[in-house]
Amino acid sequence: MRAIASTPKIDEMLAAGAPVAIGVSGGKDSQAAALATFRHLDQVGHTGPRLLIHADLGTVEWKNSHPVCEELAGHLGADLVVVRRKAGGLMERWESRWESSRVRYETLSTVTLVPCWSTPAMRFCTSELKTHVITAELKRRFPGQTVINVTGVRREESAARAKATIADTSADGRFWNWRPLADWSVADVFAEIDSSGLDPHPAYRVFGMSRVSCRFCIMSNVADLTAAAAQPEAHDLYRRMVRLEARSTFAFQGSRWLGEVAPNLLDDAERNALAAAKASAQLRVAAEKRITKPMLYVKGWPLRMLTDGEADILASVRREVCDLLGLRSEFLDRDSIHGRYAELLAAKPAEKEAA
């Protein structure tokens, strides 16, 4: 089998018996990373603790993902630690993000509505529901120790990952992030899994998908979204996500609506709601374009009072958006907007003192 990549620092830590935690999702890369890393640890005589750790994302997970991780752990004779975000899974996070955006807009605590979905540039699905809960658990299990955190990241996966290093340290120095499969190909990954006698996640060879993460992932292409929607286990989640698209007027993938992938799964009311949301989205975007750049939300907002002309622009935009989405707000004219900005600016000294 193909050798894995390492660095002198990782070799040094392994020789010293540092804890090794391998993140597993049920996908092919983490499965292969666990198999290859355990073989390497045995070869170098690693005597420290080692485990697999899985972040459960809730209803967005494929039903086979956890069993694949359990079977892998049994094959390796390793403990499988499962962690979850206490406030709920990813679907709940998307829904609560929309509710927060709605409330902030109605109370004029922001200038424009914020998309509910995670994006390639804003992957809180990874940072909040995976990285944060995993690192918190590892710090609890290994207090005062530096932990080697293994992932299945491969450079050929994307332009961003092409820049990935073999290993680097976290900002607080508590973790060394090790990417032993950085230079592996897809063929290498499946060869590793097949040689072990284990099966990869059925999404690859049964469902016909190219990647496995959430049932519907913000990074998925149309073919993978279509393949996912064809699976009966994904139908309830699909409809729930489309209802959020309709409620928020934000498409799941920027300009790509999940509801267009498998409209046959929706009833007439859901299809009508989606069509109305798409029309409202165009009108919302057109209205928000009237807001000038100096008026937009920035860190520390608001920085100043608006001019009368700016307040009139914001008022007209807010009236349109509230009408389109059925939102309720008291701040829909020049005077109420000036009053709200004055209130927000007056609160800043108190906020600084409290900090």
Side-chain angles (χ1 to χ4, degrees):
M1 297 306 300
R2 179 168 182 175
I4 63 176
S6 187
T7 68
K9 179 61 179 180
I10 294 297
D11 294 342
E12 175 188 327
M13 293 179 68
L14 293 179
V20 176
I22 305 173
V24 290
S25 63
K28 66 183 187 307
D29 295 329
S30 63
Q31 188 178 16
L35 292 165
T37 299
F38 263 65
R39 183 174 64 253
H40 179 78
L41 297 180
D42 290 340
Q43 290 172 348
V44 300
H46 175 254
T47 59
R50 55 180 91 164
L51 56 82
L52 308 184
I53 189 161
H54 172 66
D56 183 349
L57 305 183
T59 56
V60 301
E61 293 256 14
W62 289 106
K63 69 179 182 181
N64 290 103
S65 294
H66 189 263
V68 166
C69 295
E70 286 186 321
E71 183 180 29
L72 177 62
H75 177 83
L76 294 172
D79 289 334
L80 173 64
V81 178
V82 179
V83 293
R84 299 175 180 86
R85 175 176 171 265
K86 291 181 180 179
L90 181 53
M91 188 67 226
E92 289 75 20
R93 180 67 178 93
W94 285 330
E95 290 171 332
S96 67
R97 182 175 170 84
W98 167 242
E99 180 63 15
S100 173
S101 178
R102 180 191 65 78
V103 170
R104 283 171 56 78
Y105 192 82
E106 290 181 335
T107 59
L108 189 45
S109 299
T110 187
V111 179
T112 59
L113 285 165
V114 176
C116 45
W117 311 106
S118 36
T119 68
M122 186 175 57
R123 296 180 64 178
F124 56 83
C125 46
T126 298
S127 59
E128 293 183 20
L129 283 92
K130 292 184 179 181
T131 305
H132 178 73
V133 290
I134 286 175
T135 56
E137 174 62 19
L138 294 177
K139 286 180 180 180
R140 187 191 68 79
R141 282 180 174 262
F142 304 109
Q145 297 185 66
T146 301
V147 180
I148 299 175
N149 179 47
V150 178
T151 66
V153 168
R154 295 182 301 108
R155 288 172 175 155
E156 76 167 18
E157 289 181 277
S158 67
R161 291 190 170 185
K163 303 173 185 177
T165 58
I166 302 300
D168 55 48
T169 187
S170 61
D172 63 3
R174 288 293 310 277
F175 296 92
W176 268 89
N177 302 305
W178 183 19
R179 306 171 188 90
L181 308 192
D183 294 317
W184 281 31
S185 66
V186 172
D188 293 328
V189 167
F190 280 117
E192 178 70 40
I193 297 170
D194 291 339
S195 69
S196 73
L198 298 176
D199 292 320
H201 196 291
Y204 297 110
R205 293 170 176 169
V206 180
F207 304 170
M209 300 180 68
S210 65
R211 65 193 310 273
V212 173
S213 50
C214 301
R215 286 166 170 160
F216 301 102
C217 177
I218 60 167
M219 307 294 287
S220 292
N221 57 33
V222 175
D224 279 351
L225 292 175
T226 303
Q231 305 308 311
E233 70 168 275
H235 291 177
D236 286 344
L237 175 66
Y238 178 82
R239 285 185 281 265
R240 185 174 173 183
M241 292 176 69
V242 173
R243 286 195 293 269
L244 183 54
E245 282 188 313
R247 202 156 64 243
S248 68
T249 70
F250 283 98
F252 179 53
Q253 292 182 331
S255 60
R256 180 183 294 156
W257 296 82
L258 185 62
E260 294 179 339
V261 171
N264 58 296
L265 298 179
L266 308 175
D267 60 27
D268 287 343
E270 290 166 333
R271 281 191 288 270
N272 291 338
L274 181 66
K278 290 163 69 176
S280 294
Q282 290 183 325
L283 294 172
R284 172 180 54 76
V285 171
E288 290 175 342
K289 285 182 178 178
R290 300 203 303 272
I291 300 173
T292 63
K293 186 174 181 180
M295 296 167 62
L296 292 174
Y297 187 97
V298 294
K299 186 177 181 180
W301 174 93
L303 304 179
R304 61 177 176 84
M305 291 291 291
L306 298 179
T307 66
D308 284 351
E310 289 173 330
D312 287 340
I313 291 172
L314 186 56
S316 67
V317 171
R318 285 177 57 79
R319 285 194 297 270
E320 288 185 40
V321 172
C322 285
D323 286 344
L324 286 168
L325 278 75
L327 305 181
R328 299 179 180 180
S329 179
E330 299 175 0
F331 310 106
L332 301 176
D333 57 34
R334 178 195 295 180
D335 290 344
S336 61
I337 286 175
H338 278 328
R340 178 57 172 156
Y341 268 65
E343 178 185 1
L344 291 168
L345 287 166
K348 286 181 175 291
E351 291 175 358
K352 288 182 179 179
E353 289 179 9

